[in-house]
Amino acid sequence: MAKPLNVGMIGYGFMGRAHSNAYSQVSHFFDLEYRPVLKAVCARSADKAKEFADRWGYESIETDWRKLIARKDIDLIDVCTPNNTHAEIATAAAKAGKMILCEKPLAMNGPEGLKMVEAVEKAGVPNMVWYNYRRVPAVTLAKQLIDEGRLGKIFHYRAKFLQDWTISPEVAQGGAGTWRLDAAAAGSGVTGDLLAHCIDTALWLNGRLETVSALTETFVKERMHKLTGQVEKVGIDDACIFMGRFQNGSLASFESTRYARGHKALYTFEINGEHASIFWDLHDLHRLQYFDHRDQGVVRGWRSIHVSDGDHPYMGKWWVPGLQIGYEHSFTHQVADFLDGVAKGKPAMPDFRDAYRTQVVLDAILDSAKGGNWAKVKEA
């Protein structure tokens, strides 16, 4: 019998649903030493916490995250709150000896993120950050192909993450649902929200970014703030474009925006190497596009790999070959890897220190955009 591991989740929004679903499903498909138990959910509103708990099967609720952390029957704290609360909650959880899963980005900035890293490392508690796209089987397969040397020397890495949900100036900032538009809660706009995903994947697939040159823009300068009812200056970036250079010599080209009409969540990346190229699209997430120049000329061309066979990453745990999985499964894979790491006494990436590497890239991007110059990425 798997040993129970009691989860206390703070927050209940979109990511709270994604995480809760993963905890609920993981033991059905993965043979693990630990079994997540939905012990408690915490929210400021008791009514909303109770409604969420009833829907997802949490045994109890709290309205004060400090009380949740202090509970002896909680093993793991899942931080699903706005970015400006991550550091205080995670640091307190580490001091209490709790395991921690934290939403991305890790922190508001690099210095704050480093303090979180130091806190969990001093406490010696298992920790992880929810950069879930690493666990999409097609993306994990891309990592496998790169590590096997199939692409050869890498020349280019380009990525984009496009949305369109904030184009209307009538969209408010601050409060539930739109806290990502409030710099005080989010720290930055699309840079920390969307590009953070792209950068984490890029560092994992292609290694360290050394230098960046960025341009940001805030298209709507003022918005009503939900909490004050006043029209206030917008402090986040609506769009960001940056180029850079990786440690391996390859060139980087990244773009993110919430002003690309017609795109709800278009996340793509392409990597070009001396022998082969790969391309992935979140809208077709179960497929990996692959081109190998070494193929015979008469059949050389892009091939679409349907990542659903039992020997593809994670897929042996799901259905028969040919039947695909989706976005929510990436979170289940992340929970499975975390629990496996706990059982084996080894970290599952990205842990806080690994996520801190993304944080210092975000800092360099924002510094470059502000100063209009190239910025070096801090060693992390």
Side-chain angles (χ1 to χ4, degrees):
M1 293 290 292
K3 293 177 280 189
L5 190 147
N6 295 334
V7 175
M9 190 172 71
I10 305 172
Y12 62 91
F14 167 59
M15 299 319 304
R17 291 188 291 134
H19 298 186
S20 298
N21 180 69
Y23 294 130
S24 300
Q25 293 296 330
V26 68
S27 296
H28 295 149
F29 294 93
F30 290 81
D31 297 321
L32 299 163
E33 192 172 317
Y34 289 94
R35 172 179 55 86
V37 175
L38 301 181
K39 184 61 67 172
V41 63
C42 180
R44 286 173 294 185
S45 167
D47 290 341
K48 290 181 179 179
K50 181 66 164 56
E51 181 183 357
F52 188 89
D54 290 345
R55 177 178 294 271
W56 287 98
Y58 283 86
E59 297 177 11
S60 61
I61 68 167
E62 295 286 352
T63 56
D64 184 339
W65 62 262
R66 294 172 182 83
K67 291 182 178 179
L68 179 68
I69 289 175
R71 283 175 50 164
K72 302 299 184 183
D73 62 342
I74 298 295
D75 303 309
L76 182 150
I77 294 294
D78 188 346
V79 184
C80 296
T81 55
N83 303 341
N84 63 332
T85 63
H86 290 183
E88 184 180 13
I89 296 173
T91 300
K95 289 180 179 178
K98 309 295 186 182
M99 305 176 194
I100 308 167
L101 289 175
C102 183
E103 253 306 320
K104 46 65 59 183
L106 176 64
M108 295 285 278
N109 52 54
E112 184 177 86
L114 182 58
K115 291 179 181 178
M116 296 170 68
V117 172
E118 292 169 344
V120 295
E121 291 183 349
K122 180 180 179 180
V125 294
N127 57 93
M128 199 177 196
V129 177
W130 289 93
Y131 282 113
N132 61 295
Y133 291 113
R134 293 191 185 195
R135 265 71 185 191
V136 173
V139 177
T140 309
L141 178 61
K143 170 69 170 173
Q144 179 181 315
L145 297 177
I146 294 168
D147 289 350
E148 290 173 356
R150 291 175 183 257
L151 274 64
K153 179 178 173 60
I154 304 299
F155 299 126
H156 293 283
Y157 191 113
R158 63 184 64 85
K160 60 185 177 184
F161 206 140
L162 312 181
Q163 297 181 340
D164 71 353
W165 65 280
T166 65
I167 292 177
S168 171
E170 301 304 313
V171 176
Q173 62 176 317
T178 50
W179 61 264
R180 289 177 177 83
L181 304 188
D182 182 1
S188 67
V190 295
T191 301
D193 185 25
L194 305 182
L195 275 181
H197 273 304
C198 301
I199 292 165
D200 173 76
T201 305
L203 301 184
W204 184 54
L205 295 177
N206 198 41
R208 182 174 177 267
L209 267 165
E210 290 188 326
T211 57
V212 297
S213 178
L215 178 68
T216 62
E217 182 57 61
T218 302
F219 294 112
V220 175
K221 310 297 184 183
E222 294 182 331
R223 293 183 185 272
M224 186 191 77
H225 199 289
K226 276 187 179 179
L227 301 183
T228 67
Q230 302 297 314
V231 174
E232 299 180 9
K233 181 179 178 181
V234 175
I236 56 96
D237 45 291
D238 290 326
C240 178
I241 299 173
F242 82 89
M243 56 184 177
R245 187 184 301 275
F246 287 90
Q247 191 172 46
N248 63 10
S250 60
L251 302 183
S253 174
F254 287 71
E255 177 187 7
S256 64
T257 182
R258 296 190 182 120
Y259 281 69
R261 184 65 82 190
H263 294 298
K264 303 305 179 185
L266 180 66
Y267 173 23
T268 66
F269 67 77
E270 181 173 341
I271 308 173
N272 306 125
E274 61 178 322
H275 302 311
S277 295
I278 53 178
F279 174 84
W280 178 77
D281 181 349
L282 176 58
H283 287 172
D284 206 12
L285 85 174
H286 60 287
R287 291 188 179 273
L288 184 67
Q289 309 295 328
Y290 179 76
F291 176 93
D292 196 322
H293 181 71
R294 293 162 296 189
D295 289 343
Q296 186 180 2
V298 294
V299 294
R300 185 184 299 137
W302 283 91
R303 69 187 74 165
S304 178
I305 303 171
H306 191 257
V307 184
S308 64
D309 281 350
D311 55 354
H312 284 142
Y314 300 107
M315 292 307 301
K317 300 295 185 181
W318 294 101
W319 319 117
V320 297
L323 301 182
Q324 65 206 44
I325 60 174
Y327 169 78
E328 70 273 19
H329 298 82
S330 63
F331 294 93
T332 305
H333 298 159
Q334 185 147 9
V335 172
D337 288 345
F338 179 81
L339 295 176
D340 187 57
V342 171
K344 296 177 179 177
K346 64 177 184 180
M349 296 293 125
D351 63 5
F352 277 27
R353 182 164 290 279
D354 201 25
Y356 171 63
R357 297 184 178 99
T358 291
Q359 202 73 53
V360 298
V361 176
L362 298 178
D363 284 359
I365 290 168
L366 295 173
D367 287 346
S368 171
K370 183 177 181 179
N373 54 271
W374 280 89
K376 288 186 177 181
V377 178
K378 181 181 177 181
E379 292 274 2

